[in-house]
Amino acid sequence: MLTIKTQRKNMTVSSGLSEEMKPEIVSLHPLDTAAAPKPELLCIFGTGDLGRSLGLRLLQSGYRVVYGSRRPHSCSPLPQGAQVMSHAIAAQSASLIFICVHREHYEFLETMALHLEGKVLVDLSNNLKKDIYPEANAAYLQRLVPGAAVVKGLNTLSAWALQNGLLAGKQVYLCGNSAEAKQAVAEIATKLGLTVLDRGSLSAARELEDFPLQLFPEWRLPLRVAVGLTAFFFFYLLIRDVIYAYVEQGKDISFRIMVSLANKVFPIVSLIMLSLCYLPGVIAAFLQLYRGTKYRRFPDWLDRWMLCRKQMGLTALGFAFLHAIYTFIIPIRYAVRHKLISHVVDEMKNNKTTPFYFDNTEAWGTDSFYVLGILGFFLYVLLGLTSLPSVGGSLSWREFSFIQSKLGHLTLFICTAHGYIYGWNKFLRPSTYKWYTPPGYMLCLIVPSVVLVLKLLLLLPCVDRTLTRIRQGWERTQPMGEMGESKATNL
Amino acid sequence: MLTIKTQRKNMTVSSGLSEEMKPEIVSLHPLDTAAAPKPELLCIFGTGDLGRSLGLRLLQSGYRVVYGSRRPHSCSPLPQGAQVMSHAIAAQSASLIFICVHREHYEFLETMALHLEGKVLVDLSNNLKKDIYPEANAAYLQRLVPGAAVVKGLNTLSAWALQNGLLAGKQVYLCGNSAEAKQAVAEIATKLGLTVLDRGSLSAARELEDFPLQLFPEWRLPLRVAVGLTAFFFFYLLIRDVIYAYVEQGKDISFRIMVSLANKVFPIVSLIMLSLCYLPGVIAAFLQLYRGTKYRRFPDWLDRWMLCRKQMGLTALGFAFLHAIYTFIIPIRYAVRHKLISHVVDEMKNNKTTPFYFDNTEAWGTDSFYVLGILGFFLYVLLGLTSLPSVGGSLSWREFSFIQSKLGHLTLFICTAHGYIYGWNKFLRPSTYKWYTPPGYMLCLIVPSVVLVLKLLLLLPCVDRTLTRIRQGWERTQPMGEMGESKATNL
Amino acid sequence: MLTIKTQRKNMTVSSGLSEEMKPEIVSLHPLDTAAAPKPELLCIFGTGDLGRSLGLRLLQSGYRVVYGSRRPHSCSPLPQGAQVMSHAIAAQSASLIFICVHREHYEFLETMALHLEGKVLVDLSNNLKKDIYPEANAAYLQRLVPGAAVVKGLNTLSAWALQNGLLAGKQVYLCGNSAEAKQAVAEIATKLGLTVLDRGSLSAARELEDFPLQLFPEWRLPLRVAVGLTAFFFFYLLIRDVIYAYVEQGKDISFRIMVSLANKVFPIVSLIMLSLCYLPGVIAAFLQLYRGTKYRRFPDWLDRWMLCRKQMGLTALGFAFLHAIYTFIIPIRYAVRHKLISHVVDEMKNNKTTPFYFDNTEAWGTDSFYVLGILGFFLYVLLGLTSLPSVGGSLSWREFSFIQSKLGHLTLFICTAHGYIYGWNKFLRPSTYKWYTPPGYMLCLIVPSVVLVLKLLLLLPCVDRTLTRIRQGWERTQPMGEMGESKATNL
Ligand SMILES: Cc1cc2nc3c(=O)[nH]c(=O)nc-3n(C[C@H](O)[C@H](O)[C@H](O)COP(=O)(O)OP(=O)(O)OC[C@H]3O[C@@H](n4cnc5c(N)ncnc54)[C@H](O)[C@@H]3O)c2cc1C
Ligand SMILES: Cc1cc2nc3c(=O)[nH]c(=O)nc-3n(C[C@H](O)[C@H](O)[C@H](O)COP(=O)(O)OP(=O)(O)OC[C@H]3O[C@@H](n4cnc5c(N)ncnc54)[C@H](O)[C@@H]3O)c2cc1C
Ligand SMILES: Cc1cc2nc3c(=O)[nH]c(=O)nc-3n(C[C@H](O)[C@H](O)[C@H](O)COP(=O)(O)OP(=O)(O)OC[C@H]3O[C@@H](n4cnc5c(N)ncnc54)[C@H](O)[C@@H]3O)c2cc1C
């Protein structure tokens, strides 16, 4: 029976429901505050910003805190309720010590190694740059104090976030060689409202120390693609529009660079990047069809591409946003107003009789053009909204993928149609091909059209059926069939 | 050795505050890693996407993981650190087994029923459609393995979310007949950073399995209302504007459908839906006044209506957004530019002497019209922003309700005024009533006006006082007066 | 004493992995549901909205719930699974009681003091206004029932949030004199998905009770500044533009107030407020340079200013948004169209020969003006997006500060340049200085220019180096050098 009880305790703990405890709960003895258990005592070395903010937070979460300082009697103001002592005495009073000191000053810890025997040392340090030291700070610390259990972690928190209580639900990483020590730190972190991820042994410390130094790593590829495309189309259109006009007609229309030209480049880049969002999904599907299985890894480049689609899409949205605003201000531009007035005056001067024939087709065409643009932009913004972490997180997987995949492809379709209508009556005019180059919008329609055609092929019932089966685990040349393995929420 | 144990216990305790443990903490023995407790071992059946992602996550949270597989020696790559065994051996080594296998392949579990006696089986499966099986997957599993404690749950997580660590703070549901088994699963889920909600016994499994299949259930009513209103006003205005012009004047102005007509429908639908957001609150208040108590439930339709106000409001915002963009592009439309030019030329041709009298009232009127529209849109966007989960969550209840209720009614008032000014000098003109039908904007002002008048009545001091008392628990015909029951943060 | 210990252990464990439990897990005995431990029983006094929602939530999280009510047989519908009893009997059955009753009805608790001896009483009450009672509700409760351990807390939750399960990750505060009692409440809160912060003894109850009554406290200063600036510039421009035209030229251009004048005031206020966002950072830097240390606190006004920069910036964004929309609708305004037409007609009437000279400089100037405005607005929106809690929370500290500080200053620079170009050729014209007053845009460029110049000074290598050292803990007149204390993630 004993084993059962123990087991039960283990299972129910976090909420404390074992039946043998009930009686006492019901007739609870008068609370006697003197006998109440003291909260756990934690030690912090270092009274800088980080040390102070961390201490404040620990105190608020119900811990007692003691600081270890080189000059315990003259250090900067510490959170109320904390004690300050010399390093050695502070270390003795607690079993877990947060090291909030710069790595450059770790040496003094070596001299204290005896006091730190058997303690858990949490290394929260970061460096100013990558690879300035041969070993990770935490590995260095472990070398200095071999008798302690060093845990690297929490270093992604800023003093600022700690101080302002912006921790709830945030993920932090831990690593260390002692499972017990990691467990202790994990529990403190959980009480602070953090979610803890164990990254294994102390050899992962370097990786953890590199985290806070990252500057938008997943944005790099999309931004590079964006800059590349922008530069290319800018110069392409500069030549075709401005320089062509200057060379062939002697007209200086360089003022167009600022708005007209930019407002051609932006939609082009936006559309191409939008299609680049949906191209890898299509490639992946064809690869799976070709291979007849989903159990072989995609090539590296495809993997990396698929992982930055969100950033790709948001960059595309940025360009679309710029395009929209550039379009809205068109009519208040000097050049546009000037052209309108000149137009009227010209008409009047030449005294035409039917000067203003209203072209119904033109009205339909341009209006459809605008309407498609507006709808596309609307859906674009919707995609962007659902990619906000808090919105996306409140959607079910099916809802998220309905918006991102179904509405996403619809967005691509509408935006591509917007592009086609733009050039609807210009495709066949020779004057369009200045210096034998196609206009920008024609170039930008290639990739989206390809993506849409390929996607259409994938939607053919027979292809779709095969693909669905493959994605559910079926394999064309099944060796011995573990096809029963469950796919993710497989809708 | 005793001190070590105590210490260890203390470490695992999430807060560890018993005073009898303190001494050992202070004189901590050197950590001896060999004796450290091994983390708990969990078993996963199935090596598909879900199994792999879940295993990765469990490993990262500090568990040990063993996979059960039909072909343990030739399965797809598994997360580092996990073991793979045959189903039977894997099952023996752990007390809790995650079933990441499609329901279609559950039969093999029946043959293993003996090995699964007394184990906790977590059923994470989902189906592709509703009601394709007579019983819930989890109930089926329990029937196959009656000796095990089946827990349904975590099935709302996607392999994708698991893999990318997007779990922090997410809510998951559990159900099962064994409280102990649920508790064990709940603890694992909590360690993964999830928030667990117990939905009762295994009979709730069906409901849980239907969750991931839902596609925007709360959006259905608002979207239907929106589609209905849009269709009605579209055809109404099509008849009044385009068909009327064609029939009575022989003019083809069908090109107006794309932009002009749409830009009349959008604001109309937006305003009506905005007022439908605030109508149920007013009805509820009058019902409470009439009944003299707040302790009787609202009729079902009112309840459902009140629950989808957020979606109603956001749909209204979507239409307002479209209306705004449609308005911005007006001046660059071909038809508008054409009209402007024709206008000038006409004036010139007819050689009027005072052709361009500047109408001050007109200037004030149209400018007020635009300004009200802009302010209304601004407030609209503000309402939308605070309904983002992360923004709303950071507001106090009083702040949220200040914005949603006070500013919301202000928005409604401003947008309604925007509508009235639009028609200010047209209400009395007979030409307005083509074919004896009132124009669209007149129809759309009815509901908002009613809501505003009713709201005004509710703000009368005497009515307001009674309502406040009712909402604080007072009842007109109080039977025996438990009026002391606390209302929610009742500001 | 043993029972107490068991209870305590039971309360504090949360993961329970002590090694002596491992063996049993592996060879798990058949689950025997009859013997399964009953979940903990909690009592709720009061069956109002709050009581009901809280009970529902507790049941869902796996607790058993009993309500104490004055009329247990005739109260409003309670969540399924909960029991209702008289207050006295309900109190006896549980050790922890949630008091969901208005403070006005607390007296009955005094009569029950005997039954409440040794219980934990959680006071969730709020008041309708600040300072309507001499003592905090919780203090009053403690006075009525001195033998119980009163814990104030959870009062920031609304019944609505509880009912709709919007709790995950939310922060709540606790205070109370008994650490043990607070611990018990904290554990329940944690199971509900809340993050708990301990605010100390019961004397903090007043503060906690004032929380839900706050209405945007951090927004007050920015909004006041915004209203002040708006009012000042509105009247200033009213005099300079409208009244001046009326007095000196006898023209009534009062219609301009609605749009033209507002659209001058908005960008002015926006730019000044944007610069006020970045001014305190610069002042702080110079103060640190002057003092030669970062360890002395900033004066109070600077501290307060720095803490409301986010709200300052978002208010500025609001004005920028209004400015953008006001600008987009310019061309559809009656007055603008009228002016355009008059312009053309005038030109025609006077029959000029070269009426429409195209000014290239003008074209470049106005286009640059618009482009800078658009880019500035784009960056503005980016700043606003990253200040959404869920977006900001997903960025590393370095990323957040890159956007807010680097891109923020860039935004300020671009917007200031936008302002300069607006007045580029008007600065030296005497006609600009009507009644010897400078135009509004000139006034509004002063603060941004000062901020940018000061920031530039700070970027000088020598100044920057000193400042960086100071911010890393170096002090010019270092007393005894604890410079090793770690600064926060110090990038
Ligand atoms: C403004 C904007 C914002 C965006 N935000 C986001 C964002 O927040 N997050 C994001 O991810 N993308 C985002 N994107 C990019 C894009 O919308 C999504 O990546 C979109 O989901 C791609 O859809 P897809 O159908 O091409 O590919 P996928 O959704 O990847 O999948 C195609 C098909 O393959 C299936 N499938 C996928 N993976 C597997 C698998 N491993 N095994 C079996 N079947 C599988 C899916 O069920 C689907 O049917 C955004 C784009 C834009 C324009
Ligand atoms: C763009 C946009 C976004 C929106 N987003 C949201 C959103 O995120 N969430 C949302 O809920 N709505 C949203 N709405 C809809 C709408 O703004 C809110 O529902 C708004 O709170 C309704 O206000 P109300 O005063 O009519 O009703 P309510 O706020 O429901 O209440 C009216 C009065 O009744 C009182 N009261 C309410 N319930 C009770 C009760 N049970 N017992 C006693 N008194 C009670 C309140 O204190 C209040 O004084 C949105 C609307 C728009 C346009
Ligand atoms: C639309 C918009 C939204 C905004 N949203 C936000 C927001 O969400 N949150 C927000 O905070 N602000 C926000 N702001 C305001 C503003 O962008 C930020 O406050 C910005 O970080 C100020 O940058 P700064 O360089 O002047 O000052 P800071 O970032 O305060 O710092 C200046 C320098 O001092 C250093 N420093 C700061 N504190 C310390 C210290 N204690 N010890 C040593 N060095 C220190 C920093 O490393 C930095 O190099 C917003 C502004 C706008 C326009």
Side-chain angles (χ1 to χ4, degrees), chain B residues 274 277-278 281 294 306 309-310 313-314 317 380 383-384 387 397 400 404-405 409 455 471 487, chain C residues 49 160:
Chain B
L274 183 63
C277 256
Y278 293 97
K294 66 159 193 177
M306 293 190 80
R309 286 181 297 174
K310 173 177 177 168
L314 291 175
L317 174 59
Y380 238 129
L383 288 176
S387 81
W397 190 82
F400 185 79
Q404 289 294 339
S405 187
H409 281 101
K455 184 74 197 174
R471 286 185 168 163
K487 204 180 75 54
Chain C
D49 285 350
W160 179 81

Side-chain angles (χ1 to χ4, degrees), chain C residues 12-199:
Chain C
T12 52
V13 195
S14 101
S15 64
L17 325 152
S18 335
E19 77 279 42
E20 74 264 60
M21 299 168 181
K22 278 275 109 50
E24 287 82 41
I25 294 185
V26 176
S27 64
L28 185 66
H29 62 101
L31 278 175
D32 127 351
T33 8
K38 276 196 176 173
E40 197 178 343
L41 181 71
L42 301 174
C43 176
I44 298 176
F45 276 14
T47 56
D49 285 350
L50 182 58
R52 270 182 288 138
S53 322
L54 180 64
L56 176 73
R57 215 65 194 160
L58 290 171
L59 285 163
Q60 288 187 331
S61 296
Y63 290 98
R64 289 181 302 138
V65 170
V66 57
Y67 281 95
S69 164
R70 279 207 235 170
R71 34 172 194 180
H73 304 299
S74 68
C75 65
S76 49
L78 294 174
Q80 231 195 342
Q83 287 172 282
V84 204
M85 303 176 182
S86 75
H87 283 131
I89 303 179
Q92 257 168 11
S93 62
S95 67
L96 193 149
I97 303 168
F98 290 99
I99 310 290
C100 300
V101 173
H102 278 300
R103 178 207 169 106
E104 293 90 70
H105 306 274
Y106 275 9
E107 297 98 45
F108 85 95
L109 292 165
E110 193 166 18
T111 66
M112 293 185 52
L114 255 173
H115 295 106
L116 301 177
E117 278 283 317
K119 307 282 180 185
V120 176
L121 302 186
V122 188
D123 181 319
L124 291 91
S125 65
N126 286 308
N127 296 323
L128 287 171
K129 268 188 224 141
K130 274 191 183 183
D131 300 319
I132 43 174
Y133 297 108
E135 61 189 340
N137 299 356
Y140 173 54
L141 177 61
Q142 183 72 80
R143 193 157 54 76
L144 293 176
V145 197
V150 171
V151 173
K152 177 84 212 180
L154 308 185
N155 59 319
T156 46
L157 297 176
S158 65
W160 179 81
L162 274 162
Q163 213 158 4
N164 293 283
L166 301 169
L167 304 180
K170 221 168 189 176
Q171 281 198 344
V172 289
Y173 301 96
L174 290 186
C175 73
N177 294 327
S178 154
E180 200 178 39
K182 281 192 286 189
Q183 185 60 31
V185 180
E187 260 154 42
I188 295 168
T190 306
K191 282 205 69 175
L192 292 177
L194 301 161
T195 305
V196 177
L197 279 190
D198 189 333
R199 304 289 293 221

Side-chain angles (χ1 to χ4, degrees), chain A residues 37 118 180 187 198 398 485 490, chain B residues 12-13 17 28 47 60 213:
Chain A
E180 196 177 44
E187 262 155 40
D198 189 332
R398 190 173 168 220
E485 307 301 289
N490 43 16
Chain B
T12 48
V13 193
L17 326 154
L28 185 67
T47 56
Q60 288 186 328
L213 292 169

Side-chain angles (χ1 to χ4, degrees), chain A residues 7-210:
Chain A
Q7 164 61 13
R8 191 163 295 145
K9 229 184 271 168
N10 171 49
M11 288 225 147
T12 48
V13 244
S14 106
S15 65
L17 327 154
S18 334
E19 77 277 43
E20 74 266 56
M21 300 168 182
K22 277 274 111 50
E24 287 84 40
I25 294 186
V26 176
S27 64
L28 185 65
H29 62 101
L31 278 176
D32 123 353
T33 9
K38 274 197 177 173
E40 196 178 342
L41 180 71
L42 302 172
C43 175
I44 298 175
F45 276 13
T47 55
D49 285 351
L50 181 57
R52 268 182 288 140
S53 320
L54 180 64
L56 176 72
R57 216 63 193 163
L58 290 170
L59 285 165
Q60 287 186 328
S61 296
Y63 290 97
R64 288 180 303 137
V65 171
V66 58
Y67 282 95
S69 164
R70 279 206 235 169
R71 35 172 193 180
H73 303 299
S74 67
C75 65
S76 48
L78 294 174
Q80 231 194 344
Q83 288 172 281
V84 204
M85 302 176 183
S86 74
H87 284 131
I89 303 178
Q92 257 168 11
S93 61
S95 67
L96 194 147
I97 303 168
F98 291 99
I99 310 290
C100 301
V101 172
H102 277 301
R103 178 206 169 106
E104 293 90 72
H105 305 275
Y106 275 9
E107 297 100 45
F108 85 95
L109 293 165
E110 193 166 15
T111 66
M112 293 185 54
L114 255 174
H115 296 106
L116 301 175
E117 277 284 315
K119 307 282 179 184
V120 176
L121 301 186
V122 188
D123 181 319
L124 292 93
S125 65
N126 286 307
N127 297 323
L128 286 171
K129 269 189 222 139
K130 275 191 184 183
D131 301 318
I132 41 174
Y133 296 109
E135 61 188 342
N137 299 355
Y140 172 54
L141 178 61
Q142 182 73 78
R143 192 157 56 77
L144 291 177
V145 197
V150 171
V151 174
K152 176 84 211 181
L154 308 185
N155 58 319
T156 46
L157 297 176
S158 64
W160 179 80
L162 275 162
Q163 213 159 3
N164 292 283
L166 301 168
L167 304 179
K170 220 169 190 174
Q171 281 197 345
V172 290
Y173 302 95
L174 289 186
C175 73
N177 293 327
S178 155
E180 196 177 44
K182 282 193 285 189
Q183 186 60 32
V185 180
E187 262 155 40
I188 295 169
T190 306
K191 283 205 68 174
L192 291 178
L194 300 161
T195 305
V196 177
L197 279 190
D198 189 332
R199 305 286 295 219
S201 75
L202 206 58
S203 56
R206 164 128 281 164
E207 202 187 320
L208 265 64
E209 287 171 10
D210 283 348

Side-chain angles (χ1 to χ4, degrees), chain C residues 142-289:
Chain C
Q142 183 72 80
R143 193 157 54 76
L144 293 176
V145 197
V150 171
V151 173
K152 177 84 212 180
L154 308 185
N155 59 319
T156 46
L157 297 176
S158 65
W160 179 81
L162 274 162
Q163 213 158 4
N164 293 283
L166 301 169
L167 304 180
K170 221 168 189 176
Q171 281 198 344
V172 289
Y173 301 96
L174 290 186
C175 73
N177 294 327
S178 154
E180 200 178 39
K182 281 192 286 189
Q183 185 60 31
V185 180
E187 260 154 42
I188 295 168
T190 306
K191 282 205 69 175
L192 292 177
L194 301 161
T195 305
V196 177
L197 279 190
D198 189 333
R199 304 289 293 221
S201 75
L202 206 58
S203 56
R206 165 126 282 166
E207 201 188 321
L208 265 63
E209 287 172 10
D210 283 347
F211 265 130
L213 293 169
Q214 286 183 342
L215 193 60
F216 298 110
E218 346 71 67
W219 283 89
R220 233 159 257 182
L221 183 58
L223 287 182
R224 270 189 209 142
V225 173
V227 169
L229 285 174
T230 308
F232 171 76
F233 279 101
F234 179 77
F235 287 113
Y236 186 79
L237 292 178
L238 189 71
I239 292 170
R240 259 188 58 97
D241 288 8
V242 180
I243 297 182
Y244 177 89
Y246 192 74
V247 171
E248 302 275 325
Q249 298 153 19
K251 277 199 295 186
D252 175 11
I253 53 168
S254 62
F255 72 92
R256 288 221 188 142
I257 291 175
M258 294 299 283
V259 177
S260 307
L261 209 138
N263 203 18
K264 279 185 182 176
V265 173
F266 292 153
I268 287 175
V269 175
S270 180
L271 183 55
I272 294 185
M273 293 208 64
L274 183 64
S275 64
L276 290 181
C277 257
Y278 294 96
L279 184 51
V282 174
I283 295 180
F286 275 101
L287 211 62
Q288 290 179 337
L289 277 173

Side-chain angles (χ1 to χ4, degrees), chain B residues 439-461:
Chain B
Y441 68 85
M442 254 183 225
L443 291 182
C444 90
L445 285 171
I446 298 173
V447 192
S449 307
V450 169
V451 173
L452 286 173
V453 168
L454 291 181
K455 184 74 197 174
L456 220 65
L457 285 181
L458 288 175
L459 291 181
L460 292 180

Side-chain angles (χ1 to χ4, degrees), chain C residues 279 282-283 286 449-459:
Chain C
L279 184 51
V282 174
I283 295 180
F286 275 101
S449 308
V450 168
V451 173
L452 286 173
V453 168
L454 292 180
K455 184 75 196 173
L456 220 65
L457 286 181
L458 289 175
L459 292 179

